[in-house]
């Protein structure tokens, strides 16, 4: 959808968009809903705060917002790539898929946490 | 009658959008309430020091698993397991996992983190996720051909693989997850 807006109708010819038609469907509005719902919850509980560098990150890597945002961006690229690659994320595979007892989802979620635990331990050391 | 209502919904785009937004707001609200939109909570889970993420996911899976299988046994719902392969589920899962550890949010909780004011989730996370998904779309034809179909096992469920009634897996899985939740609570994580 985003790419279509950027590059016009040419991208629609590609194999990917033939399989996954780019439309604004319920899944797109669901994401906006998550932002709104979390905002309401954070305001009501007084936990809303504008923050670029989480405390845990700052204690290990310092308070530089550029470093944190750069790391978050690289992580985000891998996360977006991996979620499409595996056909789901911690919600789609991790909750909806595992609760249907889908074999693909149990394998994917095990790999999410193997990759995640290994990366976090490398970044922060095992004994935090 | 229920079937009829669901069939109506499949052709009603506007109603789907309204329900999607409504469920998104509820999901985002509860993710933030559960604490899993915080970087510290997610990384704490990955460092095996804080089991909030496990608690949220396991309780959702217990309720959803029993509920969905109950609906299915009553003929009110059908399952939609995703098909998978080693090349897709395992390799994609590991790539996802590295991103998960580096970003400190997953896609849904990154959206929730944006709502609670986390700038790193907005500027780094969301833009990165969009680029990553775009890279996948760009490389999709060759990935599909070379990697995604390796070791394909289809949309089988665990009960189907074992050749047993689904409840023979649902009940033990629910009991094991419940046991783990109580054990984690006892040991103070």
């Amino acid at each position: 959808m985003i790419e279509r807006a950027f590059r016009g109708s040419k991208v629609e010819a590609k194999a990917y968009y033939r399989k996954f038609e780019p439309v604004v469907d319920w899944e797109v509005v669901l994401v906006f809903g998550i932002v709104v719902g979390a905002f309401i919850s954070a305001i009501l509980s007084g936990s809303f705060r504008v923050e670029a560098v989480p405390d845990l990150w700052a204690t290990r890597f310092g308070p530089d917002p550029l470093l944190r945002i750069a790391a978050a961006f690289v992580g985000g690229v891998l996360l977006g790539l991996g979620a499409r690659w595996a056909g789901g994320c911690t919600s789609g595979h991790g909750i909806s898929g595992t609760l249907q007892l889908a074999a693909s989802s149990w394998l994917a979620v095990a790999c999410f946490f193997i990759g995640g635990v290994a990366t976090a331990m490398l970044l922060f050391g095992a004994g935090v | 009658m229920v079937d009829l209502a669901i069939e109506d919904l499949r052709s009603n785009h506007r109603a789907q959008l309204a329900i999607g937004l409504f469920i998104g707001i509820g999901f985002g609200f509860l993710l933030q309430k559960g604490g899993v939109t915080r970087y510290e909570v997610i990384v704490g889970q990955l460092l095996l020091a804080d089991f909030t993420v496990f608690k949220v996911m396991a309780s959702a899976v217990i309720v959803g698993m029993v509920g969905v299988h109950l609906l299915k046994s009553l003929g009110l719902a059908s399952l939609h397991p995703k098909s998978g392969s080693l090349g897709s589920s395992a390799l994609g899962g590991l790539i996802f996992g590295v991103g998960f550890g580096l970003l400190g949010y997953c896609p849904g909780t990154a959206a929730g983190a944006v709502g609670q004011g986390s700038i790193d989730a907005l500027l780094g996370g969301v833009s990165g996720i969009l680029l990553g998904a775009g890279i996948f779309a760009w490389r999709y034809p060759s990935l599909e051909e070379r990697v995604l179909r390796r070791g394909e096992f289809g949309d089988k469920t665990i009960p189907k693989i074992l050749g047993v009634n689904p409840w023979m897996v649902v009940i033990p899985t629910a009991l094991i997850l419940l046991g783990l939740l109580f054990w984690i609570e006892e040991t103070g994580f």
Side-chain angles (χ1 to χ4, degrees):
Chain A
M1 184 190 81
I2 305 285
E3 201 176 333
R4 183 173 61 169
F6 275 78
R7 289 207 239 149
S9 59
K10 209 178 99 192
V11 292
E12 285 180 87
K14 292 200 303 194
Y16 180 82
Y17 294 105
R18 277 202 298 275
K19 186 160 180 189
F20 304 99
E21 202 187 332
V23 288
V24 176
D25 57 11
W26 63 271
E27 293 171 301
V28 178
V29 290
L30 184 121
V31 176
F32 286 101
I34 294 175
V35 178
V36 173
F39 175 73
I40 296 169
S41 168
I43 292 290
L44 289 180
S45 62
S47 60
F48 182 88
R49 59 170 188 268
V50 176
E51 174 190 88
V53 186
D55 294 341
L56 177 63
W57 176 275
T59 54
R60 174 87 180 163
F61 299 104
D64 182 4
L66 281 180
L67 180 67
R68 169 58 194 153
I69 287 169
F73 182 74
V74 174
V77 170
L78 292 171
L79 199 70
L81 178 67
R84 297 309 297 129
W85 194 306
C89 66
T90 6
S91 307
H93 271 316
I95 296 176
S96 306
T98 55
L99 70 80
Q100 298 181 68
L101 297 169
S104 63
S105 297
W106 282 89
L107 174 61
V109 81
C111 293
F112 294 166
F113 282 94
I114 291 169
V117 167
T119 306
M121 299 255 176
L122 273 175
L123 287 175
F124 289 94
V128 179
Chain B
M1 204 192 85
V2 177
D3 280 351
L4 201 69
I6 291 171
E7 286 309 316
D8 284 347
L9 200 54
R10 288 219 172 95
S11 55
N12 190 339
H13 188 66
R14 198 175 276 257
Q16 284 182 7
L17 292 184
I19 293 171
L21 181 66
F22 181 72
I23 291 186
I25 292 173
F27 190 45
F29 187 92
L30 295 172
L31 284 176
Q32 210 278 337
K33 267 274 157 269
V36 292
T37 52
R38 286 280 169 217
Y39 175 85
E40 280 78 9
V41 172
I42 293 197
V43 173
Q45 176 65 74
L46 296 177
L47 293 171
L48 309 179
D50 172 342
F51 280 76
T52 306
V53 173
F54 177 80
K55 289 178 193 171
V56 169
M57 290 181 73
S59 37
V61 169
I62 294 168
V63 174
M65 181 171 60
V66 173
V68 159
H69 285 87
L70 209 55
L71 289 174
K72 186 176 158 260
S73 290
L74 294 170
L76 296 174
S78 54
L79 297 185
H80 299 279
K82 295 175 186 218
S83 61
S85 68
L86 294 178
S88 150
S89 316
L91 196 55
L94 290 173
I95 296 169
F96 181 96
V98 175
F100 193 23
L102 204 50
L103 175 57
Y105 310 102
C106 61
T109 53
V114 170
Q116 75 188 0
S118 302
I119 302 293
D120 55 338
L122 177 65
L123 295 183
V126 173
S127 56
I129 291 168
L130 291 174
L131 179 64
I135 291 172
F136 180 80
W138 170 50
R139 301 305 304 158
Y140 179 71
S142 66
L143 280 174
E144 169 81 359
E145 198 184 333
R146 286 179 207 162
V147 188
L148 301 180
R149 292 205 178 133
R150 288 278 168 88
E152 218 163 21
F153 52 80
D155 63 355
K156 289 193 186 73
T157 61
I158 293 166
K160 203 166 266 179
I161 291 171
L162 298 175
V164 296
N165 183 299
W167 289 101
M168 299 287 286
V169 182
V170 169
I171 292 168
T173 307
L175 289 176
I176 290 168
L177 289 175
L178 269 176
L180 284 171
L181 285 173
F182 277 106
W183 181 67
I184 285 167
E185 208 57 28
E186 281 295 305
T187 51
F189 281 107

